[in-house]
């Protein structure tokens, strides 16, 4: 999809974090592997993690592990804190995309299902505060994505109301559902070539294959 004549240029762009601006799949896969293994459960493959690991842990782990959800979360974060900063890598073109948003005068924030304190630690590690005004993560609100609460928190105090000039950019169905729930324009970056039923339940208004292509739509 393209911008041509269909969508106004955005006043605000809200980005997902993991695998939208930064490549964190290797970290996520290892954290899930260690968690399943320590709890005596057959671990997911890397492809299964990519397909299923979309919600915040406080929403996902009770379903996966029941009464052992707290234990599972402890194991997950032991691995996470050991490896996440050393492996953190921007996706190709992410720096240029954020600089382009700044040059256009867009308000830029991050809305993620990564725990807020961990999200802001990674943001500071990359030095991206010069582009990103606010970072809202899991547990910063009463509900996490796909509920609209994190989007509303990201816009609070800006004078910008959710509408088609507010783009919610992400790579998972949870990002699209969150955008629809808040009344923003859902923008899918990356994702499968052919959209599955899960994506089509809350379809994107715009699509881009990567950060370079998204920057060209602005």
């Amino acid at each position: 999809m393209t911008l041509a004549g269909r969508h106004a240029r955005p006043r605000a762009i809200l980005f997902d974090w993991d695998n939208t601006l930064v490549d964190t799949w290797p970290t996520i896969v290892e954290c899930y592997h260690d968690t399943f293994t320590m709890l005596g459960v057959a671990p997911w493959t890397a492809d299964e993690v990519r397909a299923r690991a979309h919600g915040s842990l406080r929403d996902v782990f009770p379903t996966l592990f029941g009464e052992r959800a707290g234990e599972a979360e402890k194991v997950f974060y032991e691995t996470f804190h050991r490896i996440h900063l050393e492996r953190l890598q921007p996706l190709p073109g992410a720096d240029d995309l954020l600089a382009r948003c700044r040059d256009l005068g867009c308000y830029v924030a991050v809305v993620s299902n990564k725990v807020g304190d961990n999200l802001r630690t990674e943001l500071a590690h990359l030095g991206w505060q010069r582009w990103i005004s606010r970072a809202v993560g899991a547990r910063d609100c009463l509900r996490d994505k796909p509920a609209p609460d994190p989007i509303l928190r990201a816009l609070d105090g800006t004078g910008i109301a959710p509408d088609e000039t507010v783009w919610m950019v992400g790579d998972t169905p949870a990002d699209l559902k969150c955008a629809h729930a808040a009344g923003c324009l859902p923008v899918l970056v990356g994702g499968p070539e052919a959209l599955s039923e899960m994506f089509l339940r809350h379809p994107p208004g715009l699509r881009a294959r990567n950060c370079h292509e998204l920057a060209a739509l602005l």
Side-chain angles (χ1 to χ4, degrees), residues 14 111 145-152 162-164 166-170 172-188 202-205:
L14 313 178
V111 174
K145 292 187 300 185
D149 307 37
I151 285 180
L152 301 179
D163 61 19
E164 289 267 309
V166 177
W167 293 12
M168 175 65 223
V169 180
T172 73
D175 298 310
L176 301 182
K177 186 176 181 179
C178 183
H180 280 278
C184 300
L185 181 72
V187 181
L188 179 64
H202 302 90

Side-chain angles (χ1 to χ4, degrees), residues 2-218:
T2 66
L3 192 60
R6 295 192 56 193
H7 299 287
R9 186 155 284 173
R11 294 181 296 155
I13 303 185
L14 313 178
F15 289 100
D16 176 47
W17 184 249
D18 291 318
N19 309 301
T20 295
L21 292 174
V22 293
D23 179 11
T24 56
W25 277 126
T27 295
I28 295 169
V29 168
E30 185 163 340
C31 289
Y32 268 89
H33 179 275
D34 288 359
T35 302
F36 279 113
T37 300
M38 288 294 292
L39 270 67
V41 179
W44 287 345
T45 66
D47 286 343
E48 287 172 328
V49 173
R50 287 173 181 265
R52 300 176 184 178
H54 297 155
S56 64
L57 295 195
R58 71 169 171 176
D59 291 336
V60 171
F61 272 24
T63 300
L64 287 177
F65 301 108
E67 294 180 354
R68 301 184 72 188
E71 179 185 353
E73 190 168 328
K74 181 175 183 291
V75 174
F76 183 98
Y77 282 118
E78 284 174 352
T79 297
F80 175 83
H81 287 298
R82 176 169 50 84
I83 65 176
H84 78 119
L85 289 181
E86 69 181 35
R87 297 191 182 183
L88 186 66
Q89 292 292 329
L91 283 169
D95 304 69
D96 291 340
L97 171 60
L98 292 170
R100 170 75 171 151
C101 294
R102 178 198 58 193
D103 292 345
L104 291 173
C106 295
Y107 170 76
V108 179
V110 169
V111 174
S112 172
N113 271 337
K114 174 166 279 172
V115 168
D117 288 343
N118 296 330
L119 169 65
R120 289 180 283 273
T121 296
E122 293 187 353
L123 181 67
H125 181 75
L126 294 176
W128 281 2
Q129 304 98 316
R130 64 189 184 277
W131 293 316
I132 295 169
S133 298
R134 188 174 298 173
V136 180
R139 300 180 180 169
D140 287 341
C141 302
L142 184 62
R143 299 178 296 174
D144 302 324
K145 292 187 300 185
D149 307 37
I151 285 180
L152 301 179
R153 173 71 66 87
L155 295 175
D156 186 42
T158 65
I160 302 172
D163 61 19
E164 289 267 309
T165 67
V166 177
W167 293 12
M168 175 65 223
V169 180
D171 66 313
T172 73
D175 298 310
L176 301 182
K177 186 176 181 179
C178 183
H180 280 278
C184 300
L185 181 72
V187 181
L188 179 64
V189 62
E193 288 293 326
L195 293 184
S196 65
E197 180 183 351
M198 187 162 46
F199 281 94
L200 292 176
R201 288 178 195 151
H202 302 90
L206 285 172
R207 285 198 72 181
R209 287 175 295 181
N210 50 48
C211 291
H212 295 295
E213 192 169 291
L214 182 59
L217 292 178
L218 294 172

